C-alpha cells in the first residue's frame, strides 16, 4: 500500500505504547457510532496498523507477551466472574454442550476436509481439532450487559473448557500418529494424567495459600499482584504439563472465585486492568495477524476459506441447536450459546502452525485459517452484541424479576460510622456486599463524629473518610462522606439518621476498655435504644472474603418484624457475594418465611435450614461455630414481637462463648408499618420441604424430653418410663 510506504514504522517503546493506548481509546469511540462492537473494532484497528495494513506497528515481542497475557486474562475473567452456584447447577449441561460443541465440529470437519478439501483422514482430523476449539472472544460483551449469570452464558463457558481440552487431546493423538505411525494410547494417557495432576495441585494448594495470604496481607495492591502470580503460575504449570495455558488460567479462576467477591475492591482492580490493557492488547494483536490481501491470491484461498468458515460456523450452530433441543432453551439463548462459541483465535492459530510446521497443512489452509479467524470473530462479536441486548431486555421484563423488586422499591440509605482508617475499610466492604448493588437508587454515607477541634481529631476523621471514599471509587460506588461536630458520638449519629432518613446503620463492635465494660458498650446500647432503624454490628477477625460458612440464628416470630425482609435480603446478598453456604437456625414457621423471601428475591444460593425451637438450641451453637465461620445473630429490641427474656443474657453469652468468632449482630427495623409484599405472601403457599434436623439436635431434643418426662413422673409419684 502507498500509505504504508510513506508512514514510517514506529519502533520506539514509547511510540508503540502510545499508539496502542490511542487505539484502545479511539477505536471504540469511532466504531460505536456505526454500531460495530468494540471487540471487533479493536481487531479492525489491529488490521489497519499491523504489518498487513498501514504498517505503523510491527508485531514485536511486546505483542507476543501482551497477546498471550491478554488471552490468559480473558479466560481468567470468564472464570472469576462465574457464579459458582450457577456453574455447579449447570455443570451437567455444560458438559453435554461441551461434548456437542466438540464432536459435531470434529465429525463435520473430518468430512469437510476429506470430501470438500481433498485432505487425507489424518490431516482432516487435525483440521477438525482446530475447528472444535473456540475462544470466548465476545465474553466482555455479555459481561458489560450483566449477563454473566445467565444459564446460556454459564453453559457456554463450561462447554468451552471441555471443547478446548478435547481439542488438545485430539491434537496430541494426531501428532503421535504422525510421528509413530500409529495411535499412541500411552501418549494420550500421559496427557490425561498431566491434566489431573495440574487440577489436583491447583485444587489442593491454591485455597490454602490464598486464605493464608489474604489473612496476613490486607494491602489491595499486594493482593492484586498475588492473584496475577497465581493465575500465571497455573498457566505455566498447564503448559509444562503439555496443556494449553488457557486451561490452567481458567481452572485457577474457578478455585480463586470463592475468595474474590464480585463487589470488592480486588475484583474492581482485576476487571479494570484486564479490560483496559491486557484484553485490548490481545485483540489488537489478533488483528495484526490478519492479511486481508490473501483474498486476492487466487480462487483456491477463497475456496478453502469459504469451506472452513462454512463448516466451522455450521458445526457450532448445530451444536447450539442440539443443546437447545436437549435443555429446552429459547431461541435467543441458543443464539447466545452459538455466538459465544463461534469465535476461533488462539487455539486455532496454535493448531494450524503445528500442522503447517509438520507439513500436514498447505499455505492455502494457513491463509484460510487467518481469514476464518477474521470472519468468525466478526460474526461472533456482532451476533453476541445483538443477542445480548435483546436478552437483557427480556430478562428485565420477566414477571418474576419485576416482582422480586417489589420489596426494594424504597431507596436504601446506608450509614457507616467510621472511627479510624483501619476499621473503615472492613465496614465499607461489608456494607457493599450486603447491598443489592443498585447504584442509581441506593445511597451510602460514611460518617465521622468528633466533639473537639484538635488537629489530631480532625486528621483521624479526614483519613477515615478518605479511606471510605477511596474504596468506593475503586468499586465505582459514590460514598458520600460526612464529618460532623456534635455533642457526642451517639447524638451525632442520631441526628444524621434523622437528617438523611437512614434505613440501616453498619457499625463496628467496640473494644472493651476495662473489665466492667459491657459487650456492646455504652454507645451502642444507647444507639439501639434510641432508634428503631436496622443496625448491623460487625466484628470480624479475618477478612470477610475468607469466610467459609454463614450461620444465622433467628428468633421465633422474627417474620412479624418490620425489617424482616430487609435483613433476609441483606444476608442473601452477602452469601451470594462470598459464594459460601448459609445455614439458617430458626423455627419451622420462620424458616418458611425466610425461604419465601429468598425465592421471590431470586437468591440462588446454597442455603440450609436447621430447626431451632428454644434458647437451649442456640446454646449448642457454641461448639459448632468454627474459626472460618461467620455467626449472624438476629436480635430484637425490648417490647418487640420477636423479643424474649433470654435475649437479656445474649451479650454476656456472646462475650463468654464466642469471644474468638467472627460475629454479626443484627437489630432489624422494628415498630414500623411495613408488611410483607404480595409476592412473598404468595410464595408461602408453595410446598416447603420438611426441614432437616441434625443428629446432634435430635439427641438434644430427646434428652430434654426425657428430663421433662422424668420430672413429671416424680411429681406424680411414679417411676420414670425409660422407653423413649
Amino acid at each position: 500500500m502507498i500509505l504504508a510506504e510513506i508512514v514510517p514504522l514506529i519502533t520506539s517503546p514509547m511510540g508503540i505504547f502510545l499508539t496502542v493506548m490511542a487505539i484502545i481509546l479511539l477505536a471504540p469511540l469511532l466504531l460505536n457510532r456505526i454500531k460495530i462492537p468494540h471487540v471487533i473494532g479493536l481487531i479492525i484497528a489491529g488490521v489497519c496498523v499491523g504489518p498487513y495494513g498501514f504498517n505503523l506497528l510491527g508485531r514485536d515481542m511486546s505483542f507476543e507477551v501482551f497477546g498471550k497475557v491478554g488471552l490468559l486474562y480473558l479466560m481468567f475473567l470468564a472464570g472469576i466472574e462465574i457464579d459458582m452456584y450457577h456453574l455447579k447447577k449447570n455443570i451437567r449441561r455444560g458438559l453435554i454442550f461441551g461434548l456437542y460443541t466438540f464432536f459435531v465440529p470434529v465429525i463435520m470437519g473430518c468430512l469437510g476436509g476429506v470430501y470438500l478439501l481433498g485432505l487425507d483422514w489424518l490431516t482432516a482430523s487435525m483440521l477438525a481439532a482446530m475447528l472444535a476449539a473456540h475462544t470466548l472472544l465476545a465474553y466482555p460483551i455479555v459481561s458489560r450487559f450483566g449477563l454473566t449469570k445467565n444459564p446460556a452464558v454459564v453453559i457456554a463457558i463450561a462447554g468451552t473448557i471441555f471443547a478446548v481440552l478435547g481439542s488438545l487431546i485430539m491434537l496430541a493423538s494426531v501428532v503421535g500418529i504422525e510421528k509413530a505411525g500409529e495411535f499412541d494410547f500411552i501418549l494420550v494417557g500421559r496427557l490425561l494424567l498431566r491434566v489431573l495432576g495440574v487440577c489436583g495441585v491447583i485444587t489442593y494448594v491454591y485455597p490454602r495459600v490464598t486464605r493464608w495470604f489474604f489473612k496476613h496481607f490486607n494491602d489491595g495492591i499486594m493482593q492484586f499482584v498475588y492473584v496475577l502470580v497465581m493465575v500465571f503460575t497455573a498457566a505455566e504449570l498447564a503448559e509444562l504439563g503439555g496443556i494449553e495455558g488457557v486451561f490452567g488460567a481458567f481452572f485457577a479462576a474457578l478455585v480463586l472465585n470463592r475468595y474474590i467477591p464480585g463487589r470488592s475492591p480486588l475484583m474492581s482492580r482485576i476487571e479494570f486492568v484486564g479490560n483496559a490493557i491486557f484484553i485490548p492488547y490481545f485483540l489488537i494483536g489478533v488483528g495484526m495477524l490478519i492479511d486481508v490481501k490473501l483474498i486476492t491470491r487466487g480462487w483456491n484461498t477463497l475456496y478453502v476459506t469459504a469451506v472452513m468458515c462454512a463448516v466451522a460456523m455450521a458445526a457450532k450452530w448445530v451444536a447450539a441447536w442440539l443443546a437447545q433441543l436437549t435443555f429446552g432453551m429459547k431461541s435467543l439463548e441458543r443464539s447466545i450459546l452459538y455466538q459465544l462459541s463461534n469465535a476461533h483465535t488462539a487455539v486455532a492459530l496454535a493448531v494450524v502452525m503445528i500442522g503447517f510446521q509438520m507439513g500436514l497443512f498447505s499455505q492455502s489452509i494457513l491463509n484460510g485459517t487467518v481469514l476464518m479467524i477474521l470472519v468468525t470473530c466478526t460474526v461472533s462479536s456482532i451476533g453476541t452484541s445483538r443477542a445480548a441486548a435483546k436478552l437483557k431486555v427480556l430478562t428485565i421484563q420477566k414477571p418474576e424479576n419485576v416482582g422480586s423488586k417489589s420489596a426494594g422499591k424504597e431507596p436504601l440509605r446506608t450509614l457507616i460510622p467510621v472511627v479510624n482508617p483501619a476499621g473503615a475499610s472492613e465496614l465499607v466492604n461489608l456494607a457493599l456486599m450486603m447491598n443489592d448493588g443498585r447504584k442509581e437508587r441506593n445511597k451510602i454515607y460514611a460518617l465521622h463524629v468528633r466533639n473537639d477541634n484538635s488537629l489530631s481529631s480532625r486528621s483521624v476523621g479526614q483519613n477515615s473518610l478518605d479511606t471510605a471514599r477511596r474504596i468506593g471509587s475503586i468499586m465505582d460506588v459514590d460514598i458520600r462522606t460526612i464529618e460532623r461536630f456534635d455533642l457526642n458520638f451517639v447524638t451525632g449519629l442520631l441526628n444524621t439518621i434523622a437528617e438523611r432518613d437512614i434505613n440501616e446503620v453498619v457499625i463496628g463492635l467496640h473494644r472493651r476498655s476495662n473489665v466492667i465494660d459491657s459487650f456492646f458498650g455504652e454507645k451502642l446500647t444507647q444507639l439501639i435504644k434510641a432508634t428503631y432503624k436496622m443496625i448491623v454490628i460487625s466484628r470480624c477477625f479475618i477478612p470477610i472474603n475468607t469466610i467459609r460458612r454463614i450461620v444465622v440464628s433467628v428468633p421465633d416470630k422474627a417474620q412479624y418484624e418490620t425489617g424482616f425482609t430487609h435483613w433476609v435480603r441483606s444476608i442473601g446478598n452477602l452469601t451470594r457475594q462470598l459464594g459460601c453456604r448459609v445455614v439458617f437456625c430458626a423455627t419451622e414457621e420462620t424458616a418458611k418465611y425466610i425461604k419465601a423471601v429468598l425465592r421471590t428475591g431470586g437468591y440462588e444460593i446454597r442455603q440450609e435450614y436447621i430447626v431451632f425451637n428454644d434458647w437451649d438450641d442456640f446454646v449448642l451453637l457454641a461448639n459448632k461455630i468454627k474459626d472460618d465461620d461467620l455467626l449472624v445473630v438476629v436480635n430484637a429490641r425490648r417490647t418487640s414481637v420477636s423479643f424474649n427474656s433470654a435475649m437479656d443474657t445474649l451479650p454476656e453469652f456472646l462475650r463468654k462463648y464466642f469471644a474468638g468468632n467472627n460475629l454479626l449482630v443484627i437489630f432489624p427495623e422494628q415498630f414500623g408499618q411495613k408488611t410483607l409484599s404480595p409476592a412473598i405472601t404468595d410464595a408461602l403457599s408453595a410446598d416447603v420441604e420438611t426441614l432437616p434436623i441434625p443428629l446432634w439436635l435430635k439427641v438434644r431434643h430427646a434428652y430434654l424430653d426425657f428430663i421433662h418426662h422424668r420430672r413429671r413422673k416424680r411429681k406424680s409419684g411414679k417411676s420414670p418410663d425409660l422407653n423413649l
Side-chain angles (χ1 to χ4, degrees), residues 195-211:
V195 171
L196 295 176
V198 170
C199 293
V201 170
I202 295 175
T203 303
Y204 181 80
V205 175
Y206 274 38
R208 290 164 174 79
V209 177
T210 301
R211 290 178 59 80

Side-chain angles (χ1 to χ4, degrees), residues 54 85-86 94 136 191 218 269 345 353 422 448 573 643 649 672 692:
F54 299 135
Y85 177 87
H86 288 82
L136 294 172
L191 179 61
N218 198 31
R269 291 187 177 99
T345 53
M353 291 305 298
H448 179 78
N573 291 328
F643 181 83
T649 62

Side-chain angles (χ1 to χ4, degrees), residues 491-506:
T491 303
L493 195 55
L494 292 174
N495 289 336
T496 305
I497 291 174
E499 292 169 0
R500 307 285 177 167
D501 195 17
I502 298 299
N503 303 106
E504 67 175 9
V505 178
V506 180

Side-chain angles (χ1 to χ4, degrees), residues 141-197:
I141 297 175
V142 296
S143 178
R144 282 203 313 276
F145 278 99
L147 297 173
T148 55
K149 297 179 182 179
N150 184 273
V153 177
V154 176
I155 292 172
I157 294 173
T160 298
I161 296 304
F162 291 119
V164 170
L165 186 58
S167 178
L168 295 176
I169 293 174
M170 187 172 181
L171 174 62
S173 303
V174 173
V175 172
I177 294 174
E178 175 65 19
K179 292 181 178 180
E182 60 182 0
F183 182 77
D184 192 349
F185 286 99
I186 298 178
L187 181 64
V188 177
R190 288 176 179 174
L191 179 61
L192 292 176
L193 288 177
R194 287 195 293 266
V195 171
L196 295 176

Side-chain angles (χ1 to χ4, degrees), residues 29-104:
L29 295 178
L30 298 176
L31 295 176
N32 282 345
R33 294 180 177 273
I34 54 178
K35 305 299 181 181
I36 295 180
H38 82 289
V39 172
I40 198 63
L42 291 172
I43 295 177
I44 293 176
V47 174
C48 295
V49 302
Y52 303 112
F54 299 135
N55 198 28
L56 290 174
L57 299 175
R59 187 173 170 81
D60 57 5
M61 184 56 67
S62 67
F63 285 97
E64 293 289 340
V65 173
F66 278 96
K68 185 67 173 180
V69 169
L71 175 60
L72 297 176
Y73 213 98
L74 180 66
M75 294 303 298
F76 170 68
L77 272 183
I80 207 68
E81 292 183 351
I82 289 181
D83 189 322
M84 294 305 293
Y85 177 87
H86 288 82
L87 179 62
K88 293 176 181 177
K89 186 178 178 181
N90 294 284
I91 190 66
R92 182 185 62 84
R93 297 197 289 176
L95 173 60
I96 294 174
F97 174 67
L99 296 176
Y100 286 156
T101 198
F102 171 72
F103 282 108
V104 172

